[in-house]
């Protein structure tokens, strides 16, 4: 609901005055939340957002609290963005996982699995990694449980041959 034109409307001070009066406080808040490196960006983003919203601010509002709230939100945005930003390094370390993901510790085995025909590889992965019974594997692969069992057996045999041939060992 807007006021009729004949009633006096309380006006907000010019935005430049708001920046001069509250800029130092907002900068201190940004530095406390983010550190000196990101504080200037947060301060700038705070006042850009405030400038856009300032005409809609109700007269009599606590401008300092309003600006600190905006600064808080900008600091959260920057903090979240920092967590998603990659950190440049010379060499990327191989990430370690306690979940037993393929390719983490036994490169020879997973390389050999990757060389298997797709059906054999899928049957082995679904059974040993996914824990599925051969009946479900057959359904996934579009064949029978016996065919899934055969594909897994052929895949195991091929892996044994590859690993024995590569290491010269017989188990």
């Amino acid at each position: 609901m807007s006021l009729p034109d004949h009633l006096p409307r309380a006006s907000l001070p010019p935005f430049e005055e708001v920046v001069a009066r509250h800029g130092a406080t907002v900068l201190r808040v940004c530095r406390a939340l983010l550190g000196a490196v990101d504080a200037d960006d947060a301060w700038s983003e705070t006042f850009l957002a405030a400038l856009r919203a300032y005409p809609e601010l109700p007269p009599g509002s606590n401008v300092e609290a309003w600006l600190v709230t905006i600064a808080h939100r900008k600091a959260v945005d920057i903090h979240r963005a920092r967590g998603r930003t990659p950190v440049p390094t010379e060499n990327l370390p191989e990430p370690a996982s306690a979940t037993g993901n393929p390719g983490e510790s036994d490169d020879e085995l997973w390389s050999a699995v990757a060389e298997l025909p797709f059906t054999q590889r899928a049957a082995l992965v679904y059974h040993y990694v996914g824990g599925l019974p051969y009946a479900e594997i057959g359904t996934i692969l579009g064949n029978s449980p016996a065919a899934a069992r055969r594909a897994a057996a052929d895949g195991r045999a091929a892996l044994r041959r590859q690993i024995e041939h590569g290491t010269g060992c017989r188990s």
Side-chain angles (χ1 to χ4, degrees):
M1 180 173 137
S2 63
L3 292 173
D5 291 333
H6 66 279
L7 291 176
R9 182 175 202 139
S11 64
L12 296 169
F15 193 73
E16 296 82 19
E17 206 175 290
V18 171
V19 174
R21 184 178 303 147
H22 302 291
T25 301
V26 171
L27 184 58
R28 283 193 303 273
V29 168
C30 292
R31 283 193 177 177
L33 292 172
L34 297 168
V37 174
D38 293 322
D40 291 339
D41 290 339
W43 185 90
S44 298
E45 289 180 27
T46 297
F47 281 102
L48 285 173
L51 178 62
R52 284 190 290 272
Y54 189 64
E56 303 301 318
L57 186 67
S61 296
N62 183 340
V63 176
E64 186 175 51
W66 177 68
L67 289 169
V68 168
T69 301
I70 296 171
H72 164 77
R73 291 181 182 142
K74 295 302 176 182
V76 168
D77 291 346
I78 289 172
H79 180 71
R80 286 179 181 160
R82 188 188 308 151
R84 293 186 302 263
T85 303
V87 177
T89 64
E90 284 293 318
N91 297 315
L92 293 175
E94 187 65 35
S97 172
T99 61
N101 290 327
E104 289 183 348
S105 60
D106 197 349
D107 291 335
E108 181 184 4
L109 174 63
W110 290 110
S111 295
V113 169
E115 292 176 16
L116 292 174
F118 178 78
T119 304
Q120 291 177 6
R121 180 175 58 227
L124 287 172
V125 168
Y126 295 155
H127 186 70
Y128 291 105
V129 178
L132 297 178
Y134 289 113
E136 289 183 34
I137 296 169
T139 302
I140 292 170
L141 295 176
N143 55 28
S144 67
R149 188 181 307 276
R150 178 80 263 159
D154 291 346
R156 278 191 305 274
L159 287 174
R160 283 190 186 108
R161 285 191 303 274
Q162 278 185 298
I163 291 175
E164 285 175 3
H165 176 69
T167 62
C169 298
R170 294 196 141 221
S171 348

